[in-house]
């Protein structure tokens, strides 16, 4: 069994397609017997989308509520972390997230996330481009 960190913008963009994309990977890897955690780290102001109000905001409440309930439904309520723009951790504690980055066997980045630099010591690092073109434009 491998310890795998899956990086995604699930809390920042809690929309149906993104939720489905991330949950498919996390639940699938967990069902295969892996020790899986979802990581979302924010580095930009106003990068959270509040679907109820239809606005970009610094208010993470909507995303935290939606993602927390979704992950709880799949038995992953204690296996996620969101670090907001002010570097406050939600879900797992900062010390636990730091430990996961030190001990992970693999890092899967589904959204060209902000955690990639922290994953440098993880033996296996995988980038899966969910939106072909977006990553290339960002480069």
């Amino acid at each position: 069994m491998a310890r795998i960190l899956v990086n995604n913008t699930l809390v920042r963009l809690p929309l149906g397609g993104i939720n489905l994309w991330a949950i498919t990977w996390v639940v699938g890897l967990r069902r295969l017997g892996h020790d899986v955690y979802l990581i979302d780290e924010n580095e930009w102001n106003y990068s959270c989308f509040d679907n109820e109000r239809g606005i970009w905001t610094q208010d993470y409440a909507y995303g935290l509520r939606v993602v927390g309930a979704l992950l709880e439904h799949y038995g992953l309520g204690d296996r996620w972390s969101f670090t907001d723009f002010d570097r406050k951790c939600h879900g797992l504690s900062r010390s636990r997230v730091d430990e996961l980055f030190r001990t992970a066997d693999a890092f899967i980045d589904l959204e060209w996330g902000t955690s990639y630099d922290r994953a440098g010591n993880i033996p296996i690092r995988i980038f899966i481009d969910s939106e072909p073109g977006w990553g290339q434009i960002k480069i």
Side-chain angles (χ1 to χ4, degrees):
M1 170 171 57
R3 174 168 286 166
I4 302 172
L5 304 185
V6 176
N7 188 56
N8 190 266
T9 58
L10 197 61
V11 172
R12 288 180 279 158
L13 293 169
L15 305 172
I18 293 171
N19 289 351
L20 178 62
W21 169 245
I23 290 299
T24 299
W25 280 94
V26 175
V27 170
L29 290 166
R30 179 97 188 262
R31 287 183 179 171
L32 289 171
H34 298 291
D35 185 23
V36 182
Y37 296 85
L38 181 71
I39 306 293
D40 184 356
E41 296 185 328
N42 182 21
E43 66 180 9
W44 301 296
N45 269 323
Y46 295 92
S47 65
C48 294
F49 188 72
D50 183 326
N51 201 32
E52 289 177 329
R53 297 184 289 169
I55 61 170
W56 290 95
T57 180
Q58 272 303 95
D59 182 358
Y60 312 105
Y62 176 79
L64 290 169
R65 185 175 65 250
V66 169
V67 171
L70 181 65
L71 293 173
E72 191 68 39
H73 174 79
Y74 286 101
L76 299 161
D78 61 345
R79 295 181 160 270
W80 65 277
S81 173
F82 172 67
T83 304
D84 66 29
F85 183 73
D86 297 320
R87 308 314 299 155
K88 179 181 176 191
C89 283
H90 304 266
L92 297 172
S93 69
R94 176 169 310 288
S95 61
R96 178 66 174 138
V97 173
D98 291 344
E99 176 191 348
L100 290 171
F101 272 97
R102 283 191 306 274
T103 60
D105 300 301
F107 177 82
I108 299 175
D109 188 350
L110 299 178
E111 290 286 334
W112 196 285
T114 57
S115 302
Y116 196 75
D117 291 338
R118 294 184 65 192
N121 293 327
I122 298 174
I124 298 170
R125 293 176 306 281
I126 301 165
F127 173 61
I128 300 172
D129 197 350
S130 62
E131 292 188 54
W134 172 250
Q136 291 76 12
I137 292 168
K138 203 170 175 185
I139 290 171

